[in-house]
Amino acid sequence: MSESKKTEKIVGVKGMNDVLPADAPLWELFENTVQSVLKSYGFQQIRTPIVEPTALFARGLGAVTDIVEKEMYSFTDSMNGDQLTLRPESTAGVVRAALEHNLTYDGPKRLWYAGPMFRHERPQRGRYRQFHQVGAEAIGFAGPDIDAELIMLCQRLWDDLGLEGIRLEINSIGDAEERKRHRDDLIAYFEQHREQLDADAQRRLYSNPLRILDTKNPTMQELVNAAPKLLDYLGEESRAHFEGVQRILRSSNIPFTINPRLVRGMDYYNRTVFEWITDQLGSQGTVCGGGRYDPLVEMFGGKPTPSCGFAIGVERLLELMKASGEQFPPSQCDVYLVHQGEAAQLEAFVVGERLRDAGLDVVMHCATAAGAGSFKSQMKRADASGAAFAVIIGEDEIASGTASVKLMRAAEGEANQHSVAIDSVVEFLVEQIVGGHDHDHDHEHVHYKH
Ligand code: ATP
Ligand code: MG
């Protein structure tokens, strides 16, 4: 390798994003809200591996889905020849884990997960190759009640996040038998209008004609609008289930529209399917998709276990949160520790630990390549840190057993520097904070240890 090559910058993988510190508060707020909403409905978290056997997705998602056809990061483990895939979604992994560990032995389970997913798509706004999902899987529930509860949970999440204008579309895609009858008629219909089908639709005509209904091609809209509707093929049980879902949504004041063309990508879905959609994100407007997948556990070799779930696209939802105009400022520390000389820094380390014991967030000034830095340059750092206080320990302070506490945001005319006995620094700062010298700071976490 040539010298110039060695020092060339390596950049990240296309379509895979870094979440930088400036965005971290937004992610944290989202994650905390999600956790508390899911907990409030009795869901328990499950964490499954990012890598699964390729066969899991090939079998679970169906061979003719977009994901399995062209989006999977699959590879051979060169150490042992195993066929592996970076998970493109989590339902298959969660169901595998539930089955492997017999999680439903004592009844149905409400589970949730969060984490990165991988799909080899064309990167664009709202569509990445590594993206994140938060999802819920209710495993072992048969009725329309859980379908409605999952939808209700999403509504609460949007409300708690302060998001408006996310609309709900629902549909029922019936069971395999009903879809088969519809499929036959659908193929016949499209065969009659073959000249209007685009290449994608031609390709899917016999493999997955239902997916043609999902086309985003504007020139095919009229054709798919007039196609036979799966809803008209539902038997009595499927219809009753769908009506049950609607009844609960109506009485719980959750607005929805029925979209007879809503089908969802994966093969394992049946009956209820739903999507949450916004118009604020351009063409990548679906922020959450879900539905019932009664056949999946059996497809993986388990006992019949009716189930239902959803997945939220985190990046799209965060973009919505940003668009709402709310600010998500980075958290700032309470105290910046400034020191001159080795003895002073040793003392500052001790003071810093005591402050943290009391619940304060503390940043120690540490040396850079330019050294520990002058008093002036340390104070500059203290200022830039956003800390409410600087605790300054220099040679004079060491000699007198004190520290100087500087109020970085003192009002005009207010004394802004205090000499405090080293042993009283914690007490002094807690008093300052509780006493209101630091109104705009969130100090619920200060607790007294003495
Ligand atoms: P689309 O039709 O947009 O490709 P999908 O049907 O493939 O969506 P699902 O598999 O249902 O999507 O995933 C659930 C949610 O995850 C989507 O509604 C979306 O918000 C998000 N999502 C899916 N793929 C991506 C991606 N490549 N980048 C970012 N978010 C994604
Ligand atoms: Mg997709």
Side-chain angles (χ1 to χ4, degrees), residues 99-113:
L99 195 58
E100 197 168 323
H101 304 285
N102 199 15
L103 285 189
T104 53
Y105 80 99
D106 61 348
K109 286 285 172 299
R110 287 176 168 87
L111 305 173
W112 74 276
Y113 61 84

Side-chain angles (χ1 to χ4, degrees), residues 67 71 88-89 119 121 126-129 131-133 211 214 216 264-266 269 275 284 286-289 311-316:
I67 294 181
E71 295 175 359
E89 55 94 54
R119 297 184 192 177
E121 306 201 61
R127 195 175 288 287
Y128 310 104
R129 290 180 174 174
F131 63 101
H132 295 75
Q133 287 183 338
R211 277 293 266 174
D214 205 19
K216 280 160 188 148
R264 311 270 315 128
M266 271 68 93
Y269 283 104
E275 281 189 354
Q284 261 60 253
T286 305
V287 293
C288 173
I312 295 169
V314 177
E315 280 81 358
R316 294 185 193 177

Side-chain angles (χ1 to χ4, degrees), residues 80-304:
N80 58 13
D82 287 353
Q83 299 299 314
L84 303 175
T85 293
L86 301 185
R87 64 180 183 198
E89 55 94 54
S90 254
T91 302
V94 168
V95 168
R96 175 202 53 71
L99 195 58
E100 197 168 323
H101 304 285
N102 199 15
L103 285 189
T104 53
Y105 80 99
D106 61 348
K109 286 285 172 299
R110 287 176 168 87
L111 305 173
W112 74 276
Y113 61 84
M117 309 294 156
F118 303 84
R119 297 184 192 177
H120 203 285
E121 306 201 61
R122 189 169 66 78
Q124 52 195 291
R125 180 186 182 200
R127 195 175 288 287
Y128 310 104
R129 290 180 174 174
Q130 177 181 303
F131 63 101
H132 295 75
Q133 287 183 338
V134 166
E137 311 292 357
I139 299 180
F141 295 91
D145 44 2
I146 196 77
D147 307 16
E149 181 184 276
L150 287 165
I151 289 171
M152 221 178 276
L153 185 164
C154 291
Q155 178 69 62
R156 176 173 292 277
L157 182 59
W158 317 148
D159 291 347
D160 284 6
L161 292 169
L163 297 174
E164 282 168 8
I166 306 180
R167 65 173 192 277
L168 172 64
E169 292 187 355
I170 63 172
N171 190 22
S172 174
I173 56 170
D175 61 24
E177 189 85 0
E178 292 151 7
R179 277 204 300 281
K180 165 90 175 67
R181 285 197 295 121
H182 171 252
R183 183 194 146 104
D184 292 345
D185 287 0
L186 196 59
I187 292 175
Y189 170 80
F190 284 133
E191 277 175 339
Q192 277 165 22
H193 301 91
R194 206 182 260 276
E195 73 289 348
Q196 292 177 55
L197 299 179
D198 64 14
D200 229 25
Q202 296 270 6
R203 195 170 48 82
R204 284 187 166 135
L205 181 53
Y206 300 103
S207 62
N208 199 352
L210 201 57
R211 277 293 266 174
I212 301 178
L213 297 177
D214 205 19
T215 179
K216 280 160 188 148
N217 184 348
T219 67
M220 281 179 48
Q221 295 307 309
E222 214 172 302
L223 183 70
V224 292
N225 276 334
K229 290 187 176 43
L230 184 42
L231 273 181
D232 297 331
Y233 291 75
L234 297 190
E236 202 170 322
E237 274 183 60
S238 290
R239 211 169 325 122
H241 187 103
F242 193 39
E243 275 159 16
V245 175
Q246 295 176 53
R247 209 159 36 242
I248 300 170
L249 293 180
R250 275 197 207 96
S251 77
S252 303
N253 289 317
I254 303 209
F256 61 87
T257 55
I258 296 174
N259 175 358
R261 282 174 42 199
L262 183 63
V263 290
R264 311 270 315 128
M266 271 68 93
D267 266 8
Y268 51 64
Y269 283 104
N270 72 326
R271 292 198 175 163
T272 318
V273 292
F274 60 90
E275 281 189 354
W276 291 92
I277 304 162
T278 172
D279 296 326
Q280 295 171 59
L281 296 177
S283 53
Q284 261 60 253
T286 305
V287 293
C288 173
R292 184 159 274 287
Y293 50 91
D294 297 338
L296 188 59
V297 176
E298 268 176 286
M299 282 162 66
F300 286 167
K303 287 187 284 218

